[in-house]
């Protein structure tokens, strides 16, 4: 089972004890994945479509517990995707349908269904607890969340921009920042920041999923931190090895060309110690000297040796160049 399904499974088992919160959740579900059929006698019939069985069960329970309605459930199979099923919940009774639509404020005072089943500025989501329920219903109806092992991504697909903006404002009321993009024919409200997704799960009251998400996030952060540390240490080791190799090359070059006789006592001592201990750190080299010196002192002497080696190379090049000019 995917992480997204786990979240929906957990949310589907939550039935708010407060009737107004249940109505807010029903309003979100009908608005996101419902449609209203009206016959020639202006009689309403509500249908809710979902591909998720726990969501279908949740809708059935919410309608039963809130309005004492037994909805009909049918299953439609996708011809092209044999494993894909769509669960359709239907409220056929016109009076019951009208009760639900009136309570969820999806019809106006004249009995007209709001365009696109809009819930924008709907009175059923004035309370903070109802906002939580509404967000939960919206996510159940058309939301998804990626496996945090792979990436952090939470989204809800909406039919219109006003609906997307409304959900964005609800999240902002809980100090959660979301963004909206257009994808094909839908407006996608999404969150990419891990800590913000944790807050969204908390708002929806998906506490088990929240703990699982946090555990994965902590492990990922630890792994990333260790990897950064290892990479940093590896880079430092590489730099140390490159520097030590260059120092060895310079010292050997001095020894083979002019010898150590022209060097000061301190430079000759560090040159011999470096040749004897090619893998030693600057601190270790300093402790091997008599008297011992610090890292900066060792570094200073080794740099002087590099400068001397460069000067010898330049002199050799000049002599070679002058010799060629003379023979020419």
């Amino acid at each position: 089972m995917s992480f997204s399904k786990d979240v929906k499974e957990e949310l589907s088992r939550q039935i708010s004890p407060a009737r107004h919160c249940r109505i807010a959740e029903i309003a979100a579900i009908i608005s996101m994945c419902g449609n209203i059929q009206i016959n020639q006698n202006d009689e309403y019939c509500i249908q809710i479509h979902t591909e998720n069985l726990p969501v279908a069960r949740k809708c059935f329970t919410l309608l039963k517990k809130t309005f004492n309605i037994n909805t009909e459930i049918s299953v439609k199979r996708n011809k092209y995707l044999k494993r894909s099923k769509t669960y359709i919940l239907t409220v056929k009774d016109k009076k019951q349908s009208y009760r639900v639509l009136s309570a969820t404020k999806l019809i106006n005072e004249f009995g007209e269904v709001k365009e696109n089943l809009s819930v924008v500025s709907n009175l059923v989501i004035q309370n903070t607890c109802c906002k939580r329920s509404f967000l939960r219903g919206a996510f159940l109806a058309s939301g998804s969340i990626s496996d945090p092992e792979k990436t952090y991504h939470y989204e809800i697909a909406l039919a219109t921009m006003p609906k997307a903006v409304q959900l964005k404002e609800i999240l902002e009321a809980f100090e959660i920042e979301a963004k909206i993009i257009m994808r094909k024919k839908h407006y996608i409200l999404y969150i990419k920041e891990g800590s913000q997704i944790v807050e969204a799960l908390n708002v929806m009251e998906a506490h088990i999923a929240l703990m699982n998400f946090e555990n994965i996030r902590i492990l990922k952060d630890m792994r990333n931190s260790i990897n950064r540390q290892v990479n940093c240490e590896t880079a430092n080791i590489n730099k140390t090895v490159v520097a030590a190799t260059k120092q060895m090359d310079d010292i050997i070059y001095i020894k083979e060309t002019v010898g150590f006789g022209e060097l000061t006592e301190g430079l000759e001592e560090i040159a011999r110690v470096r040749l004897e201990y090619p893998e030693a750190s600057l601190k270790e080299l300093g402790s091997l000297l008599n008297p011992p010196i610090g890292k900066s002192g060792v570094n200073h002497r080794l740099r002087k040796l590099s400068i001397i080696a460069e000067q010898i190379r330049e002199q050799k090049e000049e002599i070679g160049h002058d010799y060629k000019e003379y023979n020419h």
Side-chain angles (χ1 to χ4, degrees), residues 69-81:
I69 298 171
N70 286 315
T71 54
E72 293 183 13
I73 301 178
S74 57
V75 181
K76 183 180 178 182
R77 291 183 180 274
N78 190 312
K79 292 180 182 178
Y80 304 102
L81 301 170

Side-chain angles (χ1 to χ4, degrees), residues 15 33 35 38 47 51 67 75 79 96 101 108 130 142 156 176 183 202 225 230 250 276 280 287 300 309 325 327:
I15 305 295
C33 64
N35 65 66
I38 306 173
Q47 281 194 339
E51 294 180 359
F67 300 102
V75 181
K79 292 180 182 178
Q96 300 287 22
L101 293 173
N108 62 23
C130 293
S142 56
I156 298 175
I176 300 169
R183 188 194 298 157
N202 185 46
S225 178
V230 169
D250 289 339
E276 193 175 349
S287 66
H300 176 71
E325 286 289 323
N327 285 327

Side-chain angles (χ1 to χ4, degrees), residues 41-161:
N41 297 320
D42 289 337
E43 294 172 343
Y44 303 109
C45 171
I46 301 171
Q47 281 194 339
I48 297 168
H49 298 251
T50 178
E51 294 180 359
N52 195 298
L53 180 58
V55 176
R57 286 201 302 262
K58 175 76 176 279
C59 294
F60 182 91
T61 306
L62 283 172
L63 289 167
K64 174 68 176 173
K65 196 170 181 68
T66 310
F67 300 102
N68 197 26
I69 298 171
N70 286 315
T71 54
E72 293 183 13
I73 301 178
S74 57
V75 181
K76 183 180 178 182
R77 291 183 180 274
N78 190 312
K79 292 180 182 178
Y80 304 102
L81 301 170
K82 292 182 180 179
R83 292 183 182 180
S84 178
K85 296 177 184 176
T86 300
Y87 301 92
I88 304 165
L89 286 84
T90 307
V91 181
K92 286 187 175 178
D93 187 273
K94 61 181 182 180
K95 289 182 180 178
Q96 300 287 22
S97 296
Y98 187 82
R99 276 180 64 211
V100 173
L101 293 173
S102 295
T104 55
K105 302 292 187 290
L106 292 172
I107 55 175
N108 62 23
E109 64 270 25
F110 306 109
E112 298 170 336
V113 178
K114 293 187 178 181
E115 187 180 358
N116 292 312
L117 290 172
S118 177
V119 282
V120 178
S121 304
N122 196 318
L123 293 173
V124 300
I125 48 174
Q126 295 303 305
N127 299 328
T128 299
C129 57
C130 293
K131 285 184 171 71
R132 289 177 181 272
S133 296
F134 186 86
L135 185 62
R136 184 163 57 242
F139 181 82
L140 281 167
S142 56
S144 65
I145 182 169
S146 298
D147 183 346
E149 284 279 11
K150 298 174 183 175
T151 185
Y152 299 145
H153 186 84
Y154 168 108
E155 70 172 49
I156 298 175
L158 301 117
T160 67
M161 178 59 90

